[in-house]
Amino acid sequence: MLTIHAAPLVLPVGAAAVADGAVAVDGDRIAAIGPYEEVAAAHPAARVRRWPGLLTPGLRQDRARELLTRCYHPDPREADELGELPLRGEEFERIAATMDTTRRAGSVRRGLQRMLRHGTTHLAGPFGADDPALRTAVARSGLVVQIAPSPVPAGEGVPDLDPFAAGGDLARTAHGPLTAGGRADLAVFDVPDEAALHGDGPRPCVATVLAGRLVHRAR
């Protein structure tokens, strides 16, 4: 079913921003981008999802391998003991020393799910043949692997589930531009303007669309 995602501002990247804009999605592809009234008129039978804030391309997580292999993502049932944030450094090493295959797989799966909650649709790779379990988990998640070097060498700084935490603007952090005919990988943030995406304040992701599927929606 064709779906129109509408927002007060659509930022396609590489093209002009569209106030009161919309992206029409047909299957896993973008059918149209433009002002909501024009897109809706061209697709009168489409389902409409209205979002607050900004609609952007999905983001790329440049430190995905670190986040998935050098961090532990606690199970919600472990929250009282371990909290909810990724554990790294000495805390990770302590858990990793006794972590079996099942527990590691659960951590990787939760890490991928939590990336989706931050608008991530693409991961910087590659994920080598030395870790087939990791490659399988990434493939099953639907996230796209882009072969791109990380701008921050592994081990430097603190990897963060929020791709904007690395300090890049939208053009640097997005997986690429939104274009008609391209794959429908979108993110929606409840912020007033583009500057708020890479500022110091909160940037709640209210929705992530992966290949046309709504895979995250904030409650």
Side-chain angles (χ1 to χ4, degrees), residues 60-185:
R60 185 183 66 248
Q61 174 53 257
D62 284 332
R63 302 185 71 174
R65 188 176 183 89
E66 252 184 297
L67 283 163
L68 296 174
T69 65
R70 303 299 303 167
C71 297
Y72 179 72
H73 301 272
D75 187 294
R77 293 168 294 186
E78 300 173 309
D80 288 344
E81 177 188 359
L82 301 178
E84 299 179 353
L85 299 178
L87 302 179
R88 54 182 64 86
E90 292 183 1
E91 291 179 301
F92 169 77
E93 297 296 344
R94 177 178 57 82
I95 293 171
T98 59
M99 187 160 51
D100 61 16
T101 301
T102 300
R103 192 177 187 191
R104 178 174 183 263
S107 173
V108 169
R109 184 174 61 254
R110 290 187 294 272
L112 292 166
Q113 291 169 346
R114 289 164 185 171
M115 289 179 189
L116 291 171
R117 297 176 197 168
H118 287 82
T120 296
T121 58
H122 289 60
L123 309 178
F127 296 92
D130 60 315
D131 197 339
L134 177 60
R135 290 172 59 198
T136 298
V138 171
R140 287 176 176 172
S141 74
L143 289 156
V144 178
V145 177
Q146 286 185 326
I147 307 304
S150 170
V152 181
E156 292 190 12
V158 178
D160 197 295
L161 287 168
D162 177 4
F164 283 115
D169 60 11
L170 178 60
R172 170 66 186 79
T173 310
H175 79 269
L178 298 180
T179 57
R183 198 174 114 136
D185 295 318

Side-chain angles (χ1 to χ4, degrees), residues 3 39 41 48 97 185:
T3 300
V39 174
V48 177
D185 295 318

